[in-house]
Amino acid sequence: MKNLITTSKTIAVLSFAIGTILFALQLYFSNSYKLIYPGIIFIFVAVIINTIALLGLLFGLIENKNRSALLQAIGLVLTNIPIAFLYFYILIETL
């Protein structure tokens, strides 16, 4: 179970970091649309991978007694959702 928690946290942090880098690059190169398609592909891949991690954590929550660590990991994974919406909103407003 500890591996699942560690892996899920790592996936969430990497998704945030890569998404933030793509977001910052798009803001910096605002006249170029070359990063739009890689960004969209990244979003689809990140959603799939984070959903799998979230489902694993939720199933682990059912059968495990270490609920606080699982809930923290779930919170970290779910934190990426409003951040992604904020990034998307900012990009739409700047285009």
Side-chain angles (χ1 to χ4, degrees):
M1 190 56 57
K2 188 173 182 175
N3 287 338
L4 174 64
I5 293 170
T6 304
T7 302
S8 298
K9 286 181 177 182
T10 303
I11 289 170
V13 170
L14 283 174
S15 295
F16 172 75
I18 294 169
T20 301
I21 290 168
L22 287 170
F23 172 71
L25 286 172
Q26 181 59 43
L27 286 179
Y28 184 73
F29 299 111
S30 60
N31 294 332
S32 174
Y33 294 101
K34 293 179 182 177
L35 291 172
I36 296 292
Y37 294 115
I40 291 170
I41 292 169
F42 169 74
I43 289 170
F44 283 124
V45 171
V47 165
I48 291 168
I49 292 172
N50 279 293
T51 301
I52 292 169
L54 181 62
L55 289 173
L57 290 169
L58 288 172
F59 285 125
L61 193 61
I62 294 170
E63 62 187 42
N64 197 332
K65 306 255 188 274
N66 191 4
R67 292 180 183 244
S68 66
L70 285 166
L71 289 172
Q72 287 177 352
I74 289 170
L76 185 63
V77 171
L78 291 176
T79 303
N80 281 327
I81 295 171
I83 293 169
F85 281 121
L86 176 65
Y87 286 177
F88 180 73
Y89 176 77
I90 291 170
L91 286 177
I92 293 300
E93 290 296 318
T94 59
L95 293 178

Coordinates of all heavy atoms in Angstrom, one line a residue:
M1 N 0.8 -1.2 0.0 CA 0.0 0.0 0.0 C 0.9 1.3 0.0 O 0.5 2.2 -0.6 CB -0.9 0.0 1.2 CG -2.0 1.0 1.2 SD -3.1 1.1 -0.2 CE -3.8 -0.5 -0.3
K2 N 2.0 1.2 0.7 CA 2.9 2.3 0.7 C 3.4 2.7 -0.7 O 3.6 3.9 -1.0 CB 4.1 2.0 1.7 CG 4.9 3.2 1.9 CD 5.9 3.0 3.0 CE 6.7 4.2 3.2 NZ 7.7 4.1 4.3
N3 N 3.6 1.7 -1.5 CA 4.1 1.9 -2.9 C 3.0 2.7 -3.7 O 3.3 3.6 -4.5 CB 4.4 0.6 -3.6 CG 5.7 0.1 -3.1 OD1 6.6 0.8 -2.6 ND2 5.9 -1.2 -3.3
L4 N 1.7 2.3 -3.5 CA 0.6 2.9 -4.2 C 0.6 4.4 -3.8 O 0.4 5.3 -4.6 CB -0.7 2.2 -3.9 CG -1.9 2.9 -4.4 CD1 -1.9 2.9 -5.9 CD2 -3.2 2.2 -3.9
I5 N 0.7 4.7 -2.5 CA 0.6 6.1 -2.0 C 1.8 6.9 -2.6 O 1.6 8.0 -3.1 CB 0.6 6.1 -0.5 CG1 -0.7 5.5 0.0 CG2 0.8 7.5 0.0 CD1 -0.7 5.3 1.5
T6 N 3.0 6.3 -2.5 CA 4.2 7.0 -3.0 C 4.1 7.3 -4.5 O 4.4 8.4 -5.0 CB 5.4 6.2 -2.7 OG1 5.5 6.0 -1.3 CG2 6.7 7.0 -3.2
T7 N 3.6 6.2 -5.3 CA 3.5 6.4 -6.7 C 2.5 7.4 -7.1 O 2.7 8.2 -8.0 CB 3.2 5.0 -7.3 OG1 4.2 4.1 -7.0 CG2 3.1 5.1 -8.8
S8 N 1.3 7.4 -6.4 CA 0.3 8.3 -6.7 C 0.7 9.8 -6.4 O 0.4 10.7 -7.2 CB -1.0 8.0 -5.9 OG -1.5 6.7 -6.2
K9 N 1.4 10.0 -5.3 CA 1.9 11.3 -5.0 C 2.9 11.8 -6.1 O 2.9 12.9 -6.5 CB 2.6 11.3 -3.6 CG 1.6 11.3 -2.5 CD 2.3 11.4 -1.1 CE 1.3 11.4 0.0 NZ 2.0 11.5 1.3
T10 N 3.8 10.9 -6.5 CA 4.8 11.2 -7.5 C 4.1 11.5 -8.8 O 4.5 12.5 -9.5 CB 5.8 10.0 -7.7 OG1 6.4 9.7 -6.5 CG2 6.8 10.3 -8.7
I11 N 3.1 10.8 -9.2 CA 2.3 11.1 -10.4 C 1.7 12.4 -10.3 O 1.7 13.2 -11.3 CB 1.3 10.0 -10.7 CG1 2.0 8.7 -11.1 CG2 0.3 10.4 -11.7 CD1 1.1 7.5 -11.1
A12 N 1.1 12.7 -9.2 CA 0.4 14.0 -9.0 C 1.4 15.2 -9.1 O 1.1 16.2 -9.8 CB -0.3 14.1 -7.7
V13 N 2.5 15.1 -8.5 CA 3.5 16.1 -8.5 C 4.1 16.3 -9.9 O 4.3 17.4 -10.4 CB 4.6 15.9 -7.5 CG1 5.8 16.8 -7.6 CG2 4.1 16.0 -6.1
L14 N 4.4 15.2 -10.6 CA 5.0 15.2 -11.9 C 3.9 15.9 -12.9 O 4.3 16.7 -13.8 CB 5.4 13.9 -12.4 CG 6.7 13.4 -11.9 CD1 6.9 11.9 -12.4 CD2 7.9 14.2 -12.4
S15 N 2.7 15.5 -12.8 CA 1.6 16.1 -13.6 C 1.5 17.6 -13.4 O 1.4 18.3 -14.3 CB 0.3 15.4 -13.3 OG 0.2 14.1 -13.6
F16 N 1.6 18.0 -12.1 CA 1.6 19.4 -11.8 C 2.8 20.1 -12.4 O 2.7 21.2 -13.1 CB 1.5 19.6 -10.3 CG 1.7 21.1 -9.9 CD1 0.7 22.0 -10.1 CD2 2.9 21.5 -9.4 CE1 0.8 23.3 -9.8 CE2 3.1 22.9 -9.1 CZ 2.0 23.8 -9.3
A17 N 4.0 19.5 -12.3 CA 5.2 20.2 -12.7 C 5.2 20.3 -14.3 O 5.5 21.3 -14.8 CB 6.4 19.4 -12.3
I18 N 4.9 19.2 -14.9 CA 4.9 19.2 -16.4 C 3.8 20.2 -16.9 O 4.1 21.0 -17.8 CB 4.7 17.8 -17.0 CG1 5.9 16.9 -16.6 CG2 4.5 17.9 -18.5 CD1 5.7 15.5 -16.9
G19 N 2.6 20.1 -16.3 CA 1.6 21.1 -16.7 C 1.9 22.5 -16.5 O 1.7 23.4 -17.3
T20 N 2.6 22.8 -15.4 CA 3.0 24.2 -15.1 C 4.1 24.6 -16.1 O 4.1 25.8 -16.5 CB 3.6 24.3 -13.7 OG1 2.5 23.9 -12.8 CG2 4.0 25.7 -13.3
I21 N 5.0 23.7 -16.4 CA 6.0 24.1 -17.4 C 5.4 24.4 -18.8 O 5.7 25.4 -19.4 CB 7.1 23.0 -17.5 CG1 7.9 22.9 -16.3 CG2 8.0 23.2 -18.8 CD1 8.8 21.7 -16.1
L22 N 4.5 23.5 -19.2 CA 3.8 23.8 -20.5 C 3.0 25.1 -20.4 O 3.0 25.8 -21.4 CB 2.9 22.6 -20.8 CG 3.6 21.3 -21.3 CD1 2.6 20.2 -21.4 CD2 4.3 21.5 -22.6
F23 N 2.3 25.3 -19.3 CA 1.6 26.5 -19.2 C 2.5 27.8 -19.2 O 2.2 28.7 -19.9 CB 0.8 26.5 -17.8 CG 0.2 27.8 -17.4 CD1 -1.0 28.2 -18.1 CD2 0.6 28.5 -16.4 CE1 -1.6 29.4 -17.7 CE2 0.0 29.7 -16.0 CZ -1.1 30.1 -16.7
A24 N 3.6 27.7 -18.5 CA 4.5 28.9 -18.5 C 5.1 29.1 -19.9 O 5.2 30.3 -20.3 CB 5.6 28.7 -17.5
L25 N 5.5 28.0 -20.6 CA 6.0 28.2 -21.9 C 5.0 28.8 -22.9 O 5.3 29.6 -23.7 CB 6.5 26.8 -22.4 CG 7.8 26.3 -21.8 CD1 8.1 24.9 -22.3 CD2 9.0 27.2 -22.2
Q26 N 3.7 28.3 -22.8 CA 2.7 28.9 -23.6 C 2.5 30.4 -23.3 O 2.3 31.2 -24.3 CB 1.4 28.1 -23.5 CG 0.3 28.6 -24.4 CD 0.6 28.6 -25.9 OE1 1.2 27.6 -26.3 NE2 0.3 29.6 -26.6
L27 N 2.5 30.8 -22.1 CA 2.4 32.2 -21.7 C 3.6 33.0 -22.3 O 3.4 34.1 -22.8 CB 2.3 32.4 -20.2 CG 0.9 32.0 -19.6 CD1 1.0 32.2 -18.1 CD2 -0.2 32.8 -20.2
Y28 N 4.8 32.4 -22.2 CA 6.0 33.1 -22.7 C 5.9 33.2 -24.2 O 6.3 34.3 -24.7 CB 7.2 32.4 -22.2 CG 8.5 33.1 -22.5 CD1 8.9 34.2 -21.9 CD2 9.3 32.6 -23.6 CE1 10.1 34.9 -22.2 CE2 10.5 33.2 -23.9 CZ 10.8 34.4 -23.2 OH 12.0 35.0 -23.5
F29 N 5.6 32.2 -24.9 CA 5.5 32.2 -26.3 C 4.1 32.4 -26.8 O 3.5 31.6 -27.5 CB 6.1 30.9 -26.9 CG 7.5 30.7 -26.6 CD1 7.9 29.7 -25.7 CD2 8.5 31.5 -27.1 CE1 9.2 29.4 -25.5 CE2 9.8 31.3 -26.8 CZ 10.2 30.2 -26.0
S30 N 3.4 33.4 -26.3 CA 2.0 33.6 -26.5 C 1.6 33.7 -28.0 O 0.5 33.5 -28.3 CB 1.5 34.8 -25.7 OG 2.1 35.9 -26.1
N31 N 2.5 34.2 -28.8 CA 2.2 34.3 -30.3 C 2.3 33.0 -31.0 O 1.9 33.0 -32.2 CB 3.1 35.4 -30.9 CG 2.9 36.7 -30.3 OD1 1.8 37.0 -29.9 ND2 3.9 37.6 -30.3
S32 N 2.8 32.0 -30.4 CA 3.0 30.7 -31.1 C 1.9 29.7 -30.6 O 1.6 29.7 -29.4 CB 4.4 30.2 -30.8 OG 4.5 28.9 -31.3
Y33 N 1.4 28.9 -31.5 CA 0.5 27.9 -31.1 C 1.1 26.5 -31.2 O 0.4 25.5 -31.1 CB -0.8 28.0 -32.1 CG -1.5 29.2 -31.9 CD1 -1.4 30.3 -32.8 CD2 -2.4 29.4 -30.8 CE1 -2.1 31.5 -32.6 CE2 -3.1 30.6 -30.6 CZ -3.0 31.6 -31.5 OH -3.6 32.7 -31.3
K34 N 2.4 26.4 -31.2 CA 3.1 25.1 -31.3 C 2.9 24.3 -30.0 O 3.1 23.1 -30.1 CB 4.6 25.3 -31.6 CG 4.8 25.9 -33.0 CD 6.3 26.1 -33.2 CE 6.5 26.7 -34.6 NZ 7.9 27.0 -34.8
L35 N 2.7 24.9 -28.9 CA 2.5 24.1 -27.6 C 1.1 23.7 -27.3 O 0.9 23.0 -26.3 CB 3.1 24.9 -26.5 CG 4.6 25.1 -26.5 CD1 5.0 26.1 -25.4 CD2 5.3 23.8 -26.3
I36 N 0.2 24.1 -28.1 CA -1.2 23.8 -27.8 C -1.5 22.3 -28.0 O -2.1 21.7 -27.1 CB -2.2 24.6 -28.8 CG1 -2.1 26.1 -28.5 CG2 -3.6 24.1 -28.6 CD1 -2.6 26.6 -27.2
Y37 N -1.1 21.7 -29.1 CA -1.3 20.3 -29.3 C -0.5 19.4 -28.3 O -1.1 18.5 -27.8 CB -1.0 19.9 -30.7 CG -2.0 20.6 -31.7 CD1 -1.5 21.5 -32.6 CD2 -3.3 20.3 -31.7 CE1 -2.4 22.1 -33.5 CE2 -4.2 20.9 -32.5 CZ -3.8 21.8 -33.4 OH -4.7 22.4 -34.3
P38 N 0.7 19.6 -28.0 CA 1.4 18.8 -27.0 C 0.7 19.0 -25.6 O 0.6 18.1 -24.9 CB 2.8 19.4 -27.0 CG 3.0 20.0 -28.3 CD 1.7 20.5 -28.7
G39 N 0.2 20.2 -25.4 CA -0.5 20.5 -24.1 C -1.8 19.7 -24.0 O -2.1 19.1 -23.0
I40 N -2.5 19.6 -25.1 CA -3.8 18.9 -25.1 C -3.5 17.4 -25.0 O -4.2 16.7 -24.2 CB -4.6 19.1 -26.4 CG1 -5.1 20.6 -26.4 CG2 -5.7 18.2 -26.6 CD1 -5.7 21.1 -27.7
I41 N -2.5 16.9 -25.7 CA -2.1 15.5 -25.5 C -1.7 15.2 -24.1 O -2.1 14.1 -23.5 CB -1.0 15.1 -26.5 CG1 -1.6 15.1 -27.9 CG2 -0.4 13.7 -26.2 CD1 -0.5 15.1 -29.0
F42 N -0.9 16.1 -23.5 CA -0.5 15.9 -22.1 C -1.7 15.8 -21.2 O -1.8 15.0 -20.3 CB 0.5 17.0 -21.7 CG 0.7 17.0 -20.2 CD1 1.5 16.0 -19.6 CD2 0.0 17.9 -19.4 CE1 1.6 16.0 -18.2 CE2 0.2 17.9 -18.0 CZ 1.0 17.0 -17.4
I43 N -2.7 16.7 -21.4 CA -3.9 16.7 -20.5 C -4.6 15.4 -20.6 O -5.0 14.8 -19.6 CB -4.8 17.9 -20.9 CG1 -4.2 19.2 -20.5 CG2 -6.2 17.7 -20.3 CD1 -4.9 20.4 -21.1
F44 N -4.8 14.8 -21.8 CA -5.5 13.6 -21.9 C -4.7 12.4 -21.3 O -5.3 11.6 -20.5 CB -5.7 13.2 -23.4 CG -6.8 14.0 -24.0 CD1 -6.6 14.7 -25.2 CD2 -8.1 13.9 -23.5 CE1 -7.7 15.4 -25.8 CE2 -9.1 14.6 -24.1 CZ -8.9 15.4 -25.2
V45 N -3.4 12.4 -21.5 CA -2.6 11.4 -20.8 C -2.6 11.5 -19.3 O -2.7 10.6 -18.6 CB -1.1 11.4 -21.4 CG1 -0.2 10.5 -20.6 CG2 -1.1 11.0 -22.9
A46 N -2.4 12.8 -18.8 CA -2.4 13.0 -17.4 C -3.7 12.7 -16.7 O -3.8 12.1 -15.6 CB -2.1 14.5 -17.1
V47 N -4.8 13.0 -17.4 CA -6.2 12.6 -16.9 C -6.3 11.1 -16.7 O -6.8 10.6 -15.7 CB -7.3 13.2 -17.7 CG1 -8.6 12.6 -17.4 CG2 -7.4 14.7 -17.6
I48 N -5.9 10.4 -17.7 CA -6.0 8.9 -17.7 C -5.1 8.4 -16.5 O -5.6 7.6 -15.7 CB -5.6 8.3 -19.0 CG1 -6.7 8.6 -20.1 CG2 -5.4 6.8 -18.9 CD1 -6.3 8.3 -21.5
I49 N -3.9 8.8 -16.5 CA -2.9 8.3 -15.5 C -3.4 8.7 -14.1 O -3.4 7.8 -13.1 CB -1.5 8.7 -15.8 CG1 -1.0 8.0 -17.1 CG2 -0.6 8.4 -14.6 CD1 0.3 8.5 -17.6
N50 N -3.8 9.9 -13.9 CA -4.2 10.4 -12.6 C -5.5 9.7 -12.1 O -5.7 9.4 -11.0 CB -4.4 11.9 -12.5 CG -3.0 12.6 -12.3 OD1 -2.4 12.5 -11.3 ND2 -2.6 13.3 -13.4
T51 N -6.4 9.4 -13.1 CA -7.6 8.7 -12.8 C -7.3 7.3 -12.3 O -7.9 6.8 -11.3 CB -8.6 8.7 -14.0 OG1 -8.9 10.0 -14.3 CG2 -9.9 7.9 -13.7
I52 N -6.4 6.6 -13.0 CA -6.0 5.3 -12.6 C -5.4 5.3 -11.2 O -5.8 4.4 -10.3 CB -5.0 4.6 -13.6 CG1 -5.8 4.4 -14.9 CG2 -4.4 3.4 -13.0 CD1 -4.8 4.0 -16.0
A53 N -4.6 6.3 -10.9 CA -4.0 6.4 -9.6 C -5.1 6.7 -8.5 O -5.0 6.1 -7.4 CB -2.9 7.5 -9.6
L54 N -6.0 7.6 -8.9 CA -7.1 7.9 -7.9 C -7.9 6.7 -7.6 O -8.3 6.4 -6.5 CB -7.9 9.0 -8.5 CG -9.1 9.5 -7.6 CD1 -8.5 10.1 -6.3 CD2 -9.9 10.6 -8.4
L55 N -8.3 5.9 -8.6 CA -9.1 4.7 -8.4 C -8.3 3.7 -7.6 O -9.0 3.1 -6.7 CB -9.5 4.1 -9.8 CG -10.5 4.8 -10.6 CD1 -10.7 4.2 -12.0 CD2 -11.8 4.9 -9.9
G56 N -7.1 3.6 -7.8 CA -6.3 2.7 -6.9 C -6.3 3.1 -5.5 O -6.4 2.3 -4.6
L57 N -6.2 4.4 -5.3 CA -6.2 5.0 -3.9 C -7.6 4.7 -3.3 O -7.7 4.4 -2.1 CB -5.9 6.4 -3.9 CG -4.4 6.8 -4.2 CD1 -4.2 8.3 -4.4 CD2 -3.5 6.3 -3.1
L58 N -8.7 5.0 -4.1 CA -10.0 4.8 -3.5 C -10.3 3.3 -3.2 O -10.9 3.0 -2.1 CB -11.0 5.3 -4.5 CG -11.1 6.8 -4.7 CD1 -12.0 7.1 -5.9 CD2 -11.6 7.5 -3.4
F59 N -9.8 2.4 -4.0 CA -10.0 1.0 -3.7 C -9.1 0.6 -2.4 O -9.5 -0.2 -1.6 CB -9.6 0.1 -4.8 CG -10.7 0.1 -5.9 CD1 -10.4 0.4 -7.2 CD2 -12.0 -0.3 -5.6 CE1 -11.3 0.4 -8.2 CE2 -13.0 -0.3 -6.6 CZ -12.6 0.0 -7.9
G60 N -8.0 1.2 -2.3 CA -7.1 1.0 -1.2 C -7.8 1.5 0.1 O -7.6 1.0 1.2
L61 N -8.5 2.6 0.0 CA -9.2 3.2 1.1 C -10.3 2.2 1.7 O -10.5 2.2 2.9 CB -9.9 4.5 0.6 CG -10.4 5.5 1.7 CD1 -9.3 5.9 2.6 CD2 -11.1 6.6 1.0
I62 N -10.9 1.4 0.8 CA -11.9 0.5 1.2 C -11.3 -0.6 2.1 O -11.9 -1.0 3.1 CB -12.6 -0.1 0.0 CG1 -13.4 1.0 -0.7 CG2 -13.5 -1.3 0.4 CD1 -13.9 0.5 -2.0
E63 N -10.1 -1.1 1.7 CA -9.6 -2.3 2.4 C -8.4 -2.0 3.3 O -7.9 -3.0 3.9 CB -9.1 -3.3 1.3 CG -8.1 -2.8 0.4 CD -7.8 -3.7 -0.7 OE1 -8.7 -4.3 -1.3 OE2 -6.6 -3.9 -1.0
N64 N -8.0 -0.8 3.5 CA -6.8 -0.5 4.3 C -7.2 0.3 5.6 O -8.1 1.1 5.6 CB -5.8 0.3 3.5 CG -4.4 0.2 4.1 OD1 -4.3 0.1 5.3 ND2 -3.4 0.3 3.3
K65 N -6.4 0.2 6.6 CA -6.6 0.9 7.8 C -5.9 2.2 7.9 O -6.2 3.0 8.7 CB -6.2 0.0 9.0 CG -6.8 -1.4 9.0 CD -7.8 -1.5 10.1 CE -8.3 -2.9 10.2 NZ -9.4 -3.2 9.3
N66 N -4.9 2.4 7.0 CA -4.1 3.6 7.0 C -4.8 4.7 6.2 O -4.4 5.1 5.2 CB -2.7 3.4 6.5 CG -1.8 4.5 6.7 OD1 -2.1 5.5 7.4 ND2 -0.6 4.4 6.2
R67 N -6.0 5.1 6.7 CA -6.8 6.0 5.9 C -6.3 7.5 5.8 O -6.5 8.1 4.8 CB -8.2 6.1 6.5 CG -8.9 4.8 6.3 CD -10.3 4.8 6.9 NE -10.9 3.5 6.7 CZ -11.9 3.2 6.0 NH1 -12.5 4.2 5.3 NH2 -12.4 2.0 5.9
S68 N -5.6 7.9 6.8 CA -5.1 9.3 6.7 C -4.1 9.5 5.6 O -4.1 10.5 4.9 CB -4.5 9.8 8.1 OG -3.4 9.0 8.4
A69 N -3.1 8.6 5.4 CA -2.2 8.7 4.4 C -2.8 8.5 3.0 O -2.5 9.2 2.1 CB -1.1 7.6 4.5
L70 N -3.8 7.7 2.9 CA -4.6 7.5 1.6 C -5.4 8.8 1.3 O -5.4 9.2 0.2 CB -5.5 6.3 1.7 CG -4.8 4.9 1.6 CD1 -5.7 3.8 2.0 CD2 -4.3 4.7 0.2
L71 N -6.0 9.4 2.3 CA -6.8 10.6 2.1 C -5.9 11.7 1.7 O -6.2 12.6 0.9 CB -7.6 10.9 3.3 CG -8.8 10.0 3.6 CD1 -9.4 10.3 4.9 CD2 -9.8 10.1 2.5
Q72 N -4.7 11.8 2.3 CA -3.7 12.9 1.9 C -3.3 12.7 0.4 O -3.2 13.7 -0.3 CB -2.5 12.8 2.8 CG -2.8 13.4 4.2 CD -1.5 13.3 5.0 OE1 -0.5 12.7 4.7 NE2 -1.6 13.9 6.2
A73 N -3.0 11.5 0.0 CA -2.7 11.2 -1.4 C -3.8 11.5 -2.3 O -3.6 12.1 -3.4 CB -2.2 9.7 -1.5
I74 N -5.0 11.1 -1.9 CA -6.2 11.5 -2.7 C -6.4 13.0 -2.9 O -6.6 13.5 -4.0 CB -7.5 10.8 -2.1 CG1 -7.4 9.3 -2.3 CG2 -8.7 11.4 -2.7 CD1 -8.5 8.6 -1.5
G75 N -6.2 13.7 -1.8 CA -6.2 15.2 -1.8 C -5.2 15.8 -2.8 O -5.5 16.7 -3.5
L76 N -4.0 15.2 -2.8 CA -2.9 15.7 -3.6 C -3.3 15.5 -5.1 O -3.1 16.3 -5.9 CB -1.6 15.1 -3.3 CG -0.4 15.6 -4.0 CD1 -0.2 17.1 -3.7 CD2 0.8 14.8 -3.7
V77 N -3.8 14.3 -5.4 CA -4.2 14.0 -6.8 C -5.3 14.9 -7.2 O -5.3 15.4 -8.3 CB -4.6 12.5 -6.9 CG1 -5.2 12.2 -8.3 CG2 -3.4 11.6 -6.7
L78 N -6.3 15.1 -6.4 CA -7.5 15.9 -6.7 C -7.1 17.4 -6.8 O -7.9 18.2 -7.5 CB -8.6 15.7 -5.7 CG -9.3 14.3 -5.8 CD1 -10.3 14.2 -4.6 CD2 -9.9 14.1 -7.1
T79 N -6.0 17.8 -6.2 CA -5.6 19.2 -6.2 C -5.3 19.7 -7.7 O -5.5 20.8 -8.0 CB -4.4 19.5 -5.3 OG1 -4.8 19.1 -4.0 CG2 -4.0 20.9 -5.3
N80 N -4.9 18.7 -8.5 CA -4.5 19.1 -9.9 C -5.7 19.5 -10.7 O -5.6 20.2 -11.7 CB -3.8 17.9 -10.6 CG -2.4 17.8 -10.2 OD1 -1.7 18.8 -9.9 ND2 -1.9 16.6 -10.1
I81 N -6.9 19.1 -10.3 CA -8.1 19.4 -11.1 C -8.4 20.9 -11.1 O -8.5 21.5 -12.2 CB -9.3 18.6 -10.6 CG1 -9.1 17.2 -10.9 CG2 -10.6 19.1 -11.3 CD1 -10.2 16.3 -10.2
P82 N -8.5 21.6 -10.0 CA -8.8 23.1 -10.1 C -7.6 23.8 -10.7 O -7.8 24.9 -11.3 CB -9.0 23.5 -8.6 CG -8.6 22.4 -7.8 CD -8.6 21.1 -8.6
I83 N -6.4 23.4 -10.4 CA -5.2 24.0 -11.0 C -5.3 23.9 -12.6 O -5.0 24.9 -13.3 CB -3.9 23.4 -10.5 CG1 -3.8 23.7 -9.0 CG2 -2.7 23.9 -11.3 CD1 -2.7 23.0 -8.3
A84 N -5.7 22.8 -13.1 CA -5.8 22.6 -14.5 C -6.9 23.5 -15.1 O -6.7 24.2 -16.1 CB -6.1 21.2 -14.9
F85 N -8.0 23.6 -14.4 CA -9.1 24.6 -14.8 C -8.6 26.0 -14.8 O -8.9 26.8 -15.7 CB -10.3 24.4 -14.0 CG -11.1 23.2 -14.4 CD1 -11.4 22.2 -13.5 CD2 -11.7 23.1 -15.7 CE1 -12.2 21.1 -13.8 CE2 -12.4 22.0 -16.0 CZ -12.7 21.0 -15.1
L86 N -7.8 26.4 -13.8 CA -7.3 27.7 -13.7 C -6.4 28.0 -14.9 O -6.4 29.1 -15.5 CB -6.6 28.0 -12.4 CG -5.9 29.3 -12.2 CD1 -7.0 30.4 -12.2 CD2 -5.1 29.3 -10.9
Y87 N -5.4 27.1 -15.1 CA -4.5 27.3 -16.2 C -5.3 27.4 -17.6 O -4.9 28.2 -18.4 CB -3.5 26.1 -16.3 CG -2.5 26.1 -15.3 CD1 -1.6 25.0 -15.2 CD2 -2.3 27.1 -14.3 CE1 -0.6 24.9 -14.2 CE2 -1.4 27.0 -13.3 CZ -0.5 25.9 -13.3 OH 0.5 25.9 -12.4
F88 N -6.3 26.5 -17.7 CA -7.1 26.6 -19.0 C -7.8 27.9 -19.1 O -7.8 28.5 -20.2 CB -8.1 25.4 -19.0 CG -8.9 25.4 -20.2 CD1 -8.4 25.0 -21.4 CD2 -10.3 25.8 -20.1 CE1 -9.2 24.9 -22.5 CE2 -11.1 25.7 -21.2 CZ -10.6 25.3 -22.4
Y89 N -8.4 28.4 -18.0 CA -9.1 29.7 -18.1 C -8.1 30.8 -18.4 O -8.4 31.7 -19.3 CB -9.7 29.9 -16.7 CG -10.4 31.3 -16.6 CD1 -11.6 31.5 -17.3 CD2 -9.8 32.3 -15.9 CE1 -12.2 32.7 -17.2 CE2 -10.4 33.6 -15.9 CZ -11.6 33.8 -16.5 OH -12.2 35.0 -16.4
I90 N -7.0 30.8 -17.8 CA -6.0 31.9 -18.1 C -5.5 31.8 -19.5 O -5.4 32.9 -20.2 CB -4.8 31.8 -17.1 CG1 -5.2 32.1 -15.7 CG2 -3.6 32.7 -17.6 CD1 -4.2 31.8 -14.6
L91 N -5.3 30.6 -20.0 CA -4.8 30.5 -21.4 C -5.9 31.0 -22.4 O -5.7 31.6 -23.4 CB -4.4 29.1 -21.8 CG -3.1 28.7 -21.2 CD1 -2.8 27.2 -21.5 CD2 -2.0 29.5 -21.7
I92 N -7.2 30.6 -22.1 CA -8.3 31.0 -23.0 C -8.4 32.6 -23.0 O -8.6 33.2 -24.0 CB -9.6 30.4 -22.6 CG1 -9.5 28.9 -22.8 CG2 -10.8 31.0 -23.3 CD1 -9.3 28.5 -24.3
E93 N -8.2 33.2 -21.8 CA -8.3 34.6 -21.7 C -7.2 35.3 -22.4 O -7.3 36.5 -22.9 CB -8.4 35.0 -20.3 CG -9.7 34.7 -19.6 CD -10.9 35.3 -20.2 OE1 -10.8 36.5 -20.5 OE2 -11.9 34.7 -20.4
T94 N -6.0 34.7 -22.5 CA -4.9 35.4 -23.1 C -4.8 35.1 -24.6 O -4.0 35.8 -25.3 CB -3.6 34.9 -22.5 OG1 -3.4 33.5 -22.6 CG2 -3.5 35.3 -21.0
L95 N -5.5 34.2 -25.2 CA -5.5 33.9 -26.6 C -6.3 34.9 -27.4 O -7.1 35.6 -27.1 CB -5.9 32.5 -26.9 CG -5.0 31.4 -26.4 CD1 -5.6 30.1 -26.7 CD2 -3.7 31.5 -27.0

